[in-house]
Amino acid sequence: MSKIELPKEKHVGHLTLLRRARTITPKEFNALSFAERLEIVRLSDGRAKYNLILEAADGRELVRALPAQDIYVLIKDLGMEDVSELIALASAEQVTSFIDLDAWDRDSMDGSKALKWLVLALEEGEESILQRFRELDFQMLVLILQKFLTVTQGLEVLLDEDAMQEGAGAGNIYQVRFRDSESAKVIGEMLDILYRRDQAFYMQLMEGVRSELSSLLEEDVFQERSLRLMDLGFPHPDEVMEIYARIDPRSFDPALFDRSVGLSQMEGTPPGFVLTVGRARNLLAQVFEAGVSENTAWELSFLLNKAMVADSVDMGERSQVQGELEIVYGYLNLALEQFCGNDVQKAAALFDRTYLLALFRFGFNLTLTLQSRASEVRRSTVGPYLDGPYAALVSALMSPKPLYFSGLEEGGRPAVTRPFASLEEVERCSIWLEEIEAQRRLFEKHFSFDLPGPDDLDLAGCLPDDARQITLSDFFLTALANRICGRPFLPQPVPREDLQPIHEKVNENRRIASWLRRETLTWIDTLESQAASFVEFCLEIWDEEFCPLDPDQLDPRYIGGLIIRMS
């Protein structure tokens, strides 16, 4: 079994007592109070949480005291069939929540998924199965059965004199036709238990299956499901898009969203999985480590639920839930870092007293500000021609929810796009956008030529011969090559026969000649000082792909940074 870590704090009423954190044995774990064990289990994750439940002397009570979302995420994470005992330990209300969360596609129930939960919940003795059926939502049970069987004969048999003379009982009153043999076996066993143990309930259930109009019943069950999910903190889909409402980050004041005034105490135990931050070591993670109040945990749970509904996240898919957690954590962390710097105590206080939805919106809108700038660039004349990392940055920012392109960082790790996680990433993107905006000014305001649109770019007889392969660095270096040859600074394709003399002039020990680098940077600085990094980027292309070549090996197919006319 996994190690059981004793928390360094113990809460007694309104007091917080400090103690030595240490690893404890299962016996010591079971000797703790129920509240302490519940808190340890709630804040554990994955296999560790599962092992704690199995190790507990009162696992059933612990499971039923946990939020349904916690148990649901745990079951889906570890696999339903592998931890079926958790489903059997869950209350009827929790099982109903599992079906509510997993067995619906919009407003239509997936009968196969619902039946799977039902079967795993009934892996106990007949008395427990009977009690479970009585506790589960009756209309939901009727709807599940309707997905698999049709009642072809019912109470009208009581009017049949022959049947009555033969002593018709509940067992042969109802005749059914199953959808398939597999469901017939499973459901048949359930109905047999009900018939033998509680004929009144059996007949009520069968009459419901026979008489309820499926379409109306499904609508009623769906509405009841929506109400149950609201009790779990899941809003109606029509009410969630406010989470992505636009605000002006420059005028945002957290004090206007103080939730400490008139705050009511939430009942029950908040889900613990919302407090797992994985490997993140940012300010928010430190706030979580310091501990958050139950009300704040509820607030975070409601925010996550709202985000998952807004983004159509399947709560049964652990990867989707984890991805949504990263998005929510990221935006919250942006807000904390913006207003608190690296001060953990200040951040914890802000997190505990401010509506988290407001902090989430602030963080999200910080990234929208970047997206707005990226959109301006993309619509400009330089938009189609941005070079690799600049194009990747703009593309990532133009995602429905702006993403961070890690290729902006140094370190050589593979570049990925992912949700924003820190204010440093926002600031890094802003700096790179400033460079792109400087490139735009350089080409649109300072150079004596206009960039043609990709459809108007004539590359007949040239290499590259596809406008999609041309970037701003190609235009700049081609114009620079023409200038070196004594021609105007224009991105007209360079004749192939000029490659060797250009190579000779720009080359100095297989690197860009120092005089060329110096003169070019000085000239650009007089036009647009913020464009120096772009020029360095361009010259680096010649440094790597042109200058190291031998003069007799200047094959246009392998030379970067030039548009070459072959004929």
Side-chain angles (χ1 to χ4, degrees), residues 352-409:
D352 198 46
R353 71 168 183 265
T354 309
Y355 283 106
L356 300 186
L357 175 59
L359 296 180
F360 176 94
R361 282 178 178 165
F362 175 83
F364 171 64
N365 277 268
L366 276 184
T367 68
L368 281 189
T369 301
L370 298 175
Q371 185 185 73
S372 179
R373 292 169 62 186
S375 179
E376 287 290 327
V377 171
R378 175 169 278 188
R379 292 196 301 266
S380 71
T381 58
V382 302
Y385 301 116
L386 294 175
D387 285 274
Y390 303 107
L393 166 63
V394 170
S395 178
L397 291 176
M398 292 306 299
S399 301
K401 285 190 288 293
L403 297 175
Y404 174 70
F405 174 60
S406 68
L408 308 183
E409 303 173 3

Side-chain angles (χ1 to χ4, degrees), residues 41-223:
V41 172
R42 184 178 74 90
L43 297 180
S44 300
D45 193 32
R47 183 64 60 177
K49 183 190 290 278
Y50 173 68
N51 288 338
L52 284 170
I53 292 171
L54 294 186
E55 200 67 46
D58 51 356
R60 182 185 300 273
E61 288 71 20
L62 283 174
V63 167
R64 296 189 176 193
L66 288 167
Q69 282 174 266
D70 264 2
I71 300 299
Y72 175 77
V73 170
L74 178 61
I75 292 170
K76 297 296 285 188
D77 187 22
L78 301 182
M80 292 175 64
E81 289 81 3
D82 294 335
V83 293
S84 58
E85 60 270 39
L86 286 183
I87 307 173
L89 293 175
S91 68
E93 184 179 3
Q94 288 173 321
V95 173
T96 300
S97 295
F98 302 158
I99 295 174
D100 286 340
L101 290 167
D102 190 48
W104 287 84
D105 182 7
R106 297 183 183 274
D107 57 355
S108 178
M109 174 183 275
D110 184 325
S112 297
K113 288 185 176 181
L115 181 61
K116 189 174 183 180
W117 283 105
L118 194 59
V119 169
L120 292 176
L122 300 176
E123 292 187 349
E124 294 183 296
E126 288 191 2
E127 187 60 38
S128 297
I129 291 174
L130 184 61
Q131 183 65 29
R132 178 81 80 179
F133 265 105
R134 291 168 177 162
E135 293 173 346
L136 287 169
D137 182 80
F138 184 78
Q139 283 192 305
M140 184 184 73
L141 280 176
V142 171
L143 179 61
I144 293 173
L145 292 181
Q146 280 189 347
K147 298 288 183 178
F148 296 95
L149 62 86
T150 302
V151 179
T152 59
Q153 173 185 293
L155 290 177
E156 72 278 1
V157 74
L158 298 178
L159 301 177
D160 187 329
E161 293 183 1
D162 294 337
M164 292 299 294
Q165 290 176 356
E166 294 174 4
N172 53 22
I173 286 177
Y174 294 98
Q175 300 295 319
V176 301
R177 182 175 66 251
F178 288 97
R179 188 182 72 180
D180 54 66
S181 59
E182 187 65 28
S183 61
K185 178 181 178 181
V186 173
I187 297 176
E189 291 178 359
M190 296 180 187
L191 294 179
D192 178 66
I193 293 172
L194 290 179
Y195 165 67
R196 289 187 289 101
R197 303 296 297 263
D198 191 339
Q199 289 192 7
F201 185 82
Y202 168 79
M203 294 179 69
Q204 182 186 8
L205 188 61
M206 298 302 285
E207 279 302 307
V209 174
R210 188 183 190 205
S211 61
E212 291 282 0
L213 185 62
S214 295
S215 58
L216 294 180
L217 176 62
E218 192 157 38
E219 173 63 24
D220 288 343
V221 176
F222 175 73
Q223 294 300 330

Side-chain angles (χ1 to χ4, degrees), residues 42 67 69 231-233 259 265-271 274-275 292-305 356:
R42 184 178 74 90
Q69 282 174 266
D231 290 338
L232 292 179
R259 64 183 173 91
Q265 187 70 27
M266 299 295 299
E267 296 183 359
T269 303
V274 300
L275 299 176
V292 299
S293 67
E294 284 199 356
N295 265 24
T296 299
W298 275 118
E299 176 86 0
L300 182 60
S301 176
F302 295 153
L303 173 61
L304 176 63
N305 290 342
L356 300 186

Side-chain angles (χ1 to χ4, degrees), residues 497-508:
E497 55 269 23
D498 284 354
L499 288 180
Q500 190 163 342
I502 294 173
H503 182 268
E504 183 179 341
K505 290 181 180 179
V506 306
N507 200 336
E508 185 179 274

